[in-house]
Amino acid sequence: MSEVQISAVAQGFGRDLDLCLEEVAALVEVARRQGTHLLVLPEATLGGYLHDLSGGTTRPPDLPPPLDLDGPVVKRLAELAGDLTLCFGLCEAAG
């Protein structure tokens, strides 16, 4: 039986998708150097978390951007991951 190195990241991500991708690229590089096979990122890696769950605000909600699973941002993450298994979360566009 072979060993599998699993690494998990607890980090906040914001709405800037280019910055999210840069941060993931850096995390993937560290994971590779550590011999990680499976890298688990937060459920809001692409686009960040909701800032207000109360629903009591009069401001429009600051929602994460909806993304297509076959779109360029997800494809870029797949390229960054290469042979590393990468788990991440995003706000999926309605289809």
Side-chain angles (χ1 to χ4, degrees), residues 23-77:
E23 292 173 343
V24 170
L27 292 166
V28 165
E29 182 59 35
V30 170
R32 277 205 172 87
R33 284 197 309 264
Q34 294 175 344
T36 297
H37 300 101
L38 169 63
L39 179 60
V40 182
L41 298 170
E43 63 206 7
T45 299
L46 295 177
Y49 288 95
L50 294 174
H51 295 187
D52 180 10
L53 299 177
S54 70
T57 181
T58 57
R59 298 182 321 191
D62 179 26
L63 300 175
L67 300 171
D68 291 321
L69 296 180
D70 294 326
V73 175
V74 176
K75 286 181 181 177
R76 178 66 183 131
L77 268 189

